[in-house]
Amino acid sequence: MATTTPLTPSDQRRKPPPLPADALWWALCAAAALGLAGCSSLGPHRVWGTAAGAGYLAAALLASRGRSPRTAGAVAVTGAVLLPLLWLLAVDRAQLEVRVVARSAGLLLTEGTPYLQRPVVPEDFNPYLPGMAVFGLPEAVAGPGPLTDPRLWMGAAFLGAFALALPAGSRSAPLRWIAACPLVALPLAVGGVDLPVAGLMCLGLALAGQGRAGAAGLALGAAAALKWTAWPAIPVALALLAAASRSAGRPADRGEGRRPADRAAARCGLVALLTAAALVLPAALRDPGAFRAHVVDFPLGLTDAVSSAASPLPGHLLATHVPGGRTLALLLLGVSALLIALSLLLRPPATTAEAAARLALGLLLAIAFMPASRFGYLVHPLVLAVWAALRETPGRTLFLRVRKQVSR
């Protein structure tokens, strides 16, 4: 007779791999920042590239001289985030997204919808869901100023959510590293709407991994009310909750069937949908035509105005240079989404790290095949991948086959 016994000793806890923090890493960051400063046509990006390049070079010099990663990281954060942010706030310069969010908040207060009724040029469009306007409310209420700038509130939301998603007691170094990483430091300084979405997705998966289905639904629902890119996180979290609940209460052991797993996943999904609906539907129903034009047609390239999200990724190249390429890109986008969905059904993630990795892969494929996309969107899979590596979750439960002699 054979039985299986789960083994989860403390020494099986997977320690996260060390984050790159040596001189070579900071030198590569400096090269990327200075390259952007030399190539970008956007003033805020040039300011960031110059300041960040100097900060990264200083961090590389300190690391090469044996200074601690903490010191080098603090110098990198100062040069890549704090100095360019303070300068851009002082001269009132920001990326276009910041102005879009601020305008959408003003429209929400005065018109009940964050969307212009008749957008004409790309700058008129607001491709974000209504929840994003929340970050512009301080400026809409108190007026423009350094403390009401939407990028401050978006950055604070990201850092706060990402910190809460990390294990307690090990947050300082990961926060310092992620803030200094060029793909994150740039939107922290010039303004980026993707950061709070990424942070809330990590928080939602962390809460789901802890079995807190309702709290996970709130975090994921809030993320889903900001951008469409957060919606894939909901089925990933549901699969994680279902897999964890079923492994904790197997039918053979407790005779409860799949009801606990179904209840946890259903509660998370219901809370997420209700939260997103409460934040999205009022503005969407106020003017359904404007809602569709801004958040559906414009991102898919179905309007006369062309989105500025035109990085040379596969979907954009297909849509631009291949006859019928837009349809092909959308088809590839749908196929990749179907494959990720099948993977969740056939092999659901067993840990939060696996769930984050699966979501990162799905978003990476979506970013690659969207007809209108930009390199900055890669912050989503980057943050999820880093967070997955940092999670100190127990490894997969191991099962030993114990052979017992049964006397006849």
Side-chain angles (χ1 to χ4, degrees), residues 289-313:
F291 177 82
R292 176 179 173 179
H294 283 265
V295 303
V296 178
D297 295 343
F298 182 68
L300 293 178
L302 302 178
T303 60
D304 294 333
V306 179
S307 171
S308 60
S311 296
L313 293 165

Side-chain angles (χ1 to χ4, degrees), residues 69-333:
R70 180 177 182 177
T71 300
V75 170
V77 170
T78 301
V81 180
L82 295 180
L83 291 181
L85 175 61
L86 291 175
W87 173 260
L88 291 170
L89 286 173
V91 298
D92 194 23
R93 299 288 301 277
Q95 198 163 258
L96 176 62
E97 286 90 332
V98 176
R99 302 278 69 87
V100 171
V101 171
R103 184 189 66 209
S104 69
L107 287 171
L108 183 63
L109 293 180
T110 58
E111 306 293 335
T113 174
Y115 307 109
L116 289 172
Q117 190 174 20
R118 294 181 180 84
V120 178
V121 297
E123 291 76 13
D124 292 340
F125 284 89
N126 171 18
Y128 318 122
L129 292 172
M132 191 67 72
V134 169
F135 298 110
L137 289 178
E139 181 171 317
V141 173
L147 297 181
T148 60
D149 192 286
R151 84 190 91 174
L152 291 181
W153 300 96
M154 291 188 287
F158 164 70
L159 294 174
F162 190 81
L164 290 175
L166 292 171
S170 59
R171 292 169 176 165
S172 177
L175 274 177
R176 187 168 55 250
W177 187 90
I178 198 70
C181 183
L183 268 177
V184 175
L186 174 62
L188 280 175
V190 305
V193 297
D194 295 294
L195 289 180
V197 180
L200 285 170
M201 285 194 293
C202 291
L203 179 58
L205 291 180
L207 293 169
Q210 297 168 10
R212 300 169 60 184
L218 281 173
L220 294 173
L226 302 180
K227 284 191 75 174
W228 290 120
T229 48
W231 283 83
I234 296 177
V236 173
L238 300 187
L240 173 64
L241 277 167
S245 297
R246 288 166 187 166
S247 64
R250 296 180 180 277
D253 296 333
R254 299 187 180 184
E256 295 179 353
R258 294 187 174 184
R259 286 176 295 173
D262 294 339
R263 284 199 298 267
R267 184 165 65 254
C268 177
L270 181 62
V271 172
L273 292 177
L274 289 177
T275 302
L279 295 173
V280 171
L281 285 181
L285 296 177
R286 175 77 174 178
D287 192 340
F291 177 82
R292 176 179 173 179
H294 283 265
V295 303
V296 178
D297 295 343
F298 182 68
L300 293 178
L302 302 178
T303 60
D304 294 333
V306 179
S307 171
S308 60
S311 296
L313 293 165
H316 176 70
L317 294 176
L318 285 172
T320 306
H321 301 291
V322 176
R326 185 177 302 280
T327 301
L328 178 59
L330 294 176
L331 179 62
L332 290 172
L333 182 64

Side-chain angles (χ1 to χ4, degrees), residues 1 6 13 18 20 23-24 29 46 50 81 90 117 119 122 163 188 198 209 228 230 276 299 381:
M1 180 178 178
R13 290 183 68 84
L24 177 59
C29 292
R46 293 196 299 269
T50 303
V81 180
Q117 190 174 20
L188 280 175
W228 290 120

Side-chain angles (χ1 to χ4, degrees), residues 38-50:
C39 299
S40 178
S41 60
L42 302 175
H45 285 196
R46 293 196 299 269
V47 169
W48 177 85
T50 303

